[in-house]
């Protein structure tokens, strides 16, 4: 989870200390803005509690009071978290912003756990407490259908199939991939995940009917236009962020109004820039980690669709959007993201095991097995077999050198650098020489 | 909240960095022990969730499932908190220990908030979900009565009144004050709070009958024997801790078994020792803070008694004990302690306004008004009037000096040090010279 900022920072000494790669200037005058204001929050919280619980009449409606009690507990938890939760690597626009989203995701995770422990019927009906319109089965929809780009059957508007697909999901796709690019910060990783998801849609359209799209919807509109443009803009933004100067002056120290406004806008840019390269093939551990991250990313995206299917959420419901909004804001804590993804998947499995277990078509299974086998073989070759070959060559070369240099100082023939100099850019510049206790 | 340890510490570099006053030796070999093991916790959590939710049959009992869902949410929250919550100043026996108690107190605070939003009847009945025996009115009890130390009416056991008072509250008082002394670390503060609480019992015995005790129970058994002994032992322990060497060797680096066992036992002593002095009169801000802390301490102790009264908890119920156990473990985060104390008080006010509003006897009111007026006058004199007098004298002296030294370099006549040199020990050694923008 690498995002714009990468500075480890405490609450008190936020903008002053830093171990970032790029040069940062900070005159440290924002201290009031950066403080957590714990006592102020406590005081306001107390006043609100006194007002609501002592001065207002408590209605004699147990269901209403229960609901209000739960909402109040959540709000108090958010108050606690915004002031007291651990800071992550991000400090812009304000650390409290990230603490807030961390706490929102904790609340969401606890809600998921609760849902997970209910029976399927109770869980679906429980959604009625959040929105009384929920908890009813979704209507059957007719997907797929006419895939002609130019439909001669409609002389008035032959391109109507394309206009039909131009719904709210187009900007959602674009924006989603723009933000994901800011997170992942690598063109290749983004493209792989984007293309992999379309493959997943193909593979799972027998389970979820709304995965079945026209071929041009999959590849041109989704991958090329929406995702591709999002990734392109994201990479451009990253390029700009890596070049821009990081000078943080206090608002009072800036003389002009234009400067002040620019400073406020720049508060939403990272505090500093840290170069990050994935280098997936630099060692086995990193390779497995990258595979794991791609897997979790795809699982989280699939959950979006499966979860609303099993919990009977209409796709245009505001809760679906809300979930996406805070998923985007959640880059800080990989732990809670992973926990949420796993819990969501468990809910899907528990609530609709039949859909999940629908047998995958034979052709699709073959393709997946082929893909997995290829990855396995490559992993084996890259991290085990190739190494053995290299080390064999190395030993032989060293022995030859040893026989000619026997009268010189022994033991310094660490020639693995030259042997690995031909490695591709994939491996990166560091971590190339792996030390083994052989 | 000053307790044994005072080291600010992150999760990763715990025992290596430190800004303590005393000298600490640490060979830093405990790193595995100190890590948060976030991934291990996540993996075990996932396995447990898979087992309970997918492999076990979900019973068709909504109430049972709801209860289980809430308990599971709390457990997941604790898992999250133990690994991810912010570290406080304490690191012994393990930072996770303090993170755990912090999270327990957050759960307790949220439970209190929920209770606060219910009607009085619902709130009391809600306790039945925790223990089915709760939620019934407490029986009336006969307190006070015979206060003769030597009762000639019982020739067989004339001291029976004393033995009657020797119940489980004697060790509880002792232990409570032992731990409070470790927290407060000041003989005077402890004695003031201990004596003040007996005064509060006298003042409020018309509201809570179990505050009415015999005079020798108040002053000899509570203040002198139980509390006094606890404070004495606490101060002795603090004295030992301030003298003992702080050398932390890794367990594997200690050769003998005796040494290893000693090292494990010492894990429960602070990581380092930081001298702390309250110096309540050193400035106005500190004086008000000390008054506020004493007030919160007394309010928290009163809450123990009032809360079990309004929620119909029998005094010997395990929940009462549990609350005390985690209150003791909760020194880390003053914020949540304050929030809990305030919420508990609000519950008391909401659930039983009549008891709280019972008019205080005229004599008691007079005593309290006298006490408050005395404190007010002293505060005014100490921080406002005495200062004006001192500054007047100072200005006069300086003017006299100025008239004689007019030919020397001006502006360096900072003579306030000599003027304040006669201040009592109450003011401490530092912070004595207050700088004003006059």
């Amino acid at each position: 989870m690498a995002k714009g900022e990468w500075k480890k920072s405490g609450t008190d000494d936020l903008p002053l200390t830093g171990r970032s790669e790029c040069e940062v200037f900070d005159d440290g005058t924002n201290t009031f803005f950066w403080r957590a204001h714990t006592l102020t929050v406590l005081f306001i919280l107390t006043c609100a509690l006194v007002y609501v619980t002592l001065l207002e009449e408590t209605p004699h409606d147990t269901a209403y009071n229960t609901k209000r009690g739960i909402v109040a507990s959540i709000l108090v938890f958010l108050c606690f978290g915004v002031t007291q939760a651990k800071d992550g690597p991000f400090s812009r626009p304000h650390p409290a912003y990230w603490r807030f989203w961390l706490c929102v995701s904790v609340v969401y995770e606890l809600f998921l756990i609760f849902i997970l422990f209910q029976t399927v019927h109770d869980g679906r009906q429980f959604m009625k407490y959040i929105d009384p319109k929920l908890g009813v089965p979704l209507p059957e929809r007719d997907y797929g259908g006419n895939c002609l780009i130019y439909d001669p059957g409609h002389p008035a508007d032959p391109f109507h199939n394309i206009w039909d697909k131009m719904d709210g999901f187009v900007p959602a796709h674009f924006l989603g991939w723009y933000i994901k690019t800011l997170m992942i910060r690598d063109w290749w990783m983004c493209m792989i995940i984007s293309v992999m998801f379309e493959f997943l849609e193909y593979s799972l359209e027998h389970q979820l009917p709304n995965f079945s799209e026209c071929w041009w919807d999959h590849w041109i509109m989704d991958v090329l236009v929406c995702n591709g443009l999002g990734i392109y803009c994201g990479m451009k933004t990253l390029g700009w962020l890596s070049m821009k100067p990081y000078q943080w002056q206090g608002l009072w120290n800036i003389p002009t109004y234009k400067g002040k406004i620019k400073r406020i806008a720049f508060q939403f840019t990272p505090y500093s820039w840290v170069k990050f390269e994935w280098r997936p093939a630099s060692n086995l551990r990193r390779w497995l980690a990258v595979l794991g991250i791609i897997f979790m990313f795809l699982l989280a995206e699939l959950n979006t669709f499966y979860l609303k299917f099993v919990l009977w959420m209409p796709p245009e419901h505001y809760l679906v959007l809300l979930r996406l909004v805070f998923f985007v804001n959640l880059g800080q804590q990989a732990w809670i993201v992973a926990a949420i993804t796993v819990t969501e998947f468990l809910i899907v499995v528990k609530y609709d095991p039949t859909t999940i277990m629908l047998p995958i078509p034979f052709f699709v299974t073959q393709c997946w097995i082929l893909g997995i086998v290829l990855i396995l073989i490559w992993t084996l070759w890259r991290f085990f077999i190739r190494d053995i070959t290299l080390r064999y060559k190395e030993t032989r070369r060293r022995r030859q050198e040893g026989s000619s240099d026997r009268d010189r100082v022994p033991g310094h023939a660490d020639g693995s650098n030259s042997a690995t100099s031909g490695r591709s850019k994939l491996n990166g510049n560091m971590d190339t020489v792996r030390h083994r206790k052989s």
Side-chain angles (χ1 to χ4, degrees), chain A:
Chain A
M1 296 290 118
K3 213 162 179 177
E5 301 180 49
W6 203 251
K7 203 175 63 63
K8 188 107 179 180
S9 50
T11 331
D12 302 311
D13 48 356
L14 246 183
L16 296 166
T17 62
R19 42 175 195 81
S20 55
E21 278 182 14
C22 75
E23 213 158 299
V24 175
F25 167 79
D26 193 328
D27 66 356
T29 48
N30 273 337
T31 32
F32 177 81
F33 178 70
W34 291 107
R35 252 184 279 147
H37 304 286
T38 50
L39 285 181
T40 320
V41 171
L42 185 61
F43 181 73
I44 294 169
L45 182 69
T46 307
C47 291
L49 284 179
V50 167
Y51 176 77
V52 175
T53 59
L54 300 185
L55 302 179
E56 272 188 8
E57 185 89 30
T58 311
H60 285 275
D61 178 351
T62 306
Y64 175 75
N65 286 336
T66 307
K67 222 166 161 177
R68 236 164 67 130
I70 290 170
V71 170
S73 299
I74 292 172
L75 291 180
V76 169
F77 175 70
L78 292 181
C79 279
F80 166 76
V82 165
T83 53
Q84 309 276 334
K86 195 163 77 174
D87 279 306
F90 309 138
S91 63
R92 288 301 161 102
H94 193 286
Y97 174 84
W98 296 103
R99 293 197 292 262
F100 172 78
W101 286 110
L102 174 66
C103 291
V104 169
S105 59
V106 170
V107 171
Y108 178 62
E109 165 70 2
L110 299 184
F111 162 77
L112 288 177
I113 294 284
F114 182 82
I115 288 285
L116 184 57
F117 274 75
Q118 307 311 307
T119 59
V120 176
H121 174 261
D122 284 351
R124 281 172 183 157
Q125 295 308 311
F126 182 79
M127 306 304 287
K128 271 198 182 358
Y129 287 110
I130 298 166
D131 183 348
K133 284 188 216 113
L134 291 174
V136 288
L138 293 177
E140 293 271 339
R141 285 206 190 180
D142 186 34
Y143 284 92
N146 198 336
C147 275
L148 286 171
I149 296 178
Y150 184 87
D151 189 356
H154 278 66
D157 185 6
F159 292 104
H160 69 103
N161 278 331
I162 294 181
W163 310 138
D164 281 356
K165 305 280 178 187
M166 290 285 190
D167 49 10
F169 291 98
V170 170
H173 267 253
F174 170 78
L175 207 69
W177 271 103
Y178 178 71
I179 290 160
K180 271 179 236 170
T181 310
L182 293 186
M183 279 198 226
I184 298 174
R185 298 204 273 169
D186 186 87
W187 173 274
W188 269 104
M189 283 279 283
C190 288
M191 283 314 280
I192 287 168
I193 293 175
S194 164
V195 169
M196 280 286 285
F197 187 73
E198 301 303 322
F199 277 119
L200 277 176
E201 285 193 331
Y202 272 119
S203 310
L204 297 170
E205 65 185 24
H206 66 287
Q207 292 184 359
L208 282 200
N210 56 347
F211 276 162
S212 94
E213 294 170 343
C214 298
W215 68 267
W216 46 268
D217 196 2
H218 275 302
W219 299 113
I220 296 175
M221 287 193 53
D222 279 6
V223 170
L224 268 185
V225 178
C226 300
N227 303 0
L229 220 63
I231 296 172
Y232 178 78
C233 294
M235 293 306 291
K236 278 282 161 211
T237 311
L238 288 171
W240 175 72
L241 286 175
S242 73
M243 301 297 288
K244 94 182 246 301
Y246 287 90
Q247 300 204 340
W248 303 111
Q249 271 187 300
L251 211 54
W252 314 125
N253 300 352
I254 297 170
T256 60
Y257 270 104
K258 203 182 153 195
K260 279 184 208 288
I261 289 165
K262 207 172 160 191
R263 175 67 184 79
I264 291 172
F266 271 28
Q267 185 68 28
F268 293 88
T269 65
Y271 179 75
S272 68
W273 178 260
V274 177
K275 223 174 147 65
F276 184 81
E277 282 178 35
W278 284 91
R279 285 182 272 120
S282 59
N283 60 51
L284 180 62
R285 196 190 159 91
R286 199 173 258 257
W287 171 243
L288 294 178
V290 167
L291 285 186
I293 287 171
I294 291 176
F295 176 78
M296 289 306 271
F297 245 97
L298 291 170
L299 188 61
E301 288 197 52
L302 282 183
N303 279 341
T304 313
F305 295 90
Y306 276 93
L307 201 63
K308 66 188 185 195
F309 179 75
V310 300
L311 288 179
W312 293 350
M313 307 278 291
E316 65 280 356
H317 196 274
Y318 71 94
L319 281 179
V320 179
L321 206 73
L322 207 68
R323 176 183 170 281
L324 289 178
V325 165
F326 83 69
F327 237 86
V328 156
N329 272 303
L330 201 139
Q332 183 187 0
Q333 290 280 359
W335 196 94
I336 200 80
V337 186
I340 285 176
T341 308
V342 167
T343 316
E344 284 184 340
F345 180 68
L346 288 177
I347 289 177
V348 169
V349 174
K350 173 167 181 171
Y351 274 55
D352 201 346
T354 47
T355 300
I356 285 283
M357 291 302 168
L358 279 178
I360 297 172
F362 184 62
F363 173 69
V364 174
T365 323
Q366 278 184 314
C367 288
W368 278 105
I369 289 175
L370 184 70
I372 291 167
V373 165
L374 281 178
I375 289 178
L376 261 179
I377 290 174
W378 189 83
T379 309
L380 274 175
W381 173 78
R382 175 64 188 76
F383 295 107
F384 298 93
I385 298 164
R386 206 187 69 151
D387 249 42
I388 293 168
T389 330
L390 278 177
R391 266 164 57 208
Y392 173 71
K393 280 187 191 157
E394 168 88 22
T395 323
R396 207 175 52 184
R397 195 173 54 82
R398 211 182 287 183
R399 206 175 291 145
Q400 285 171 351
E401 281 183 10
S403 62
S404 60
D405 302 346
R406 194 149 291 170
D407 43 346
R408 294 190 206 162
V409 182
H412 274 279
D414 194 349
S416 56
N417 283 324
S418 57
T420 55
S421 63
R423 291 189 186 182
S424 68
K425 211 202 160 214
L426 203 62
N427 306 335
N429 307 316
M430 291 142 70
D431 292 68
T432 41
V433 189
R434 279 174 302 119
H435 297 279
R436 293 208 171 198
K437 288 175 185 162
S438 58

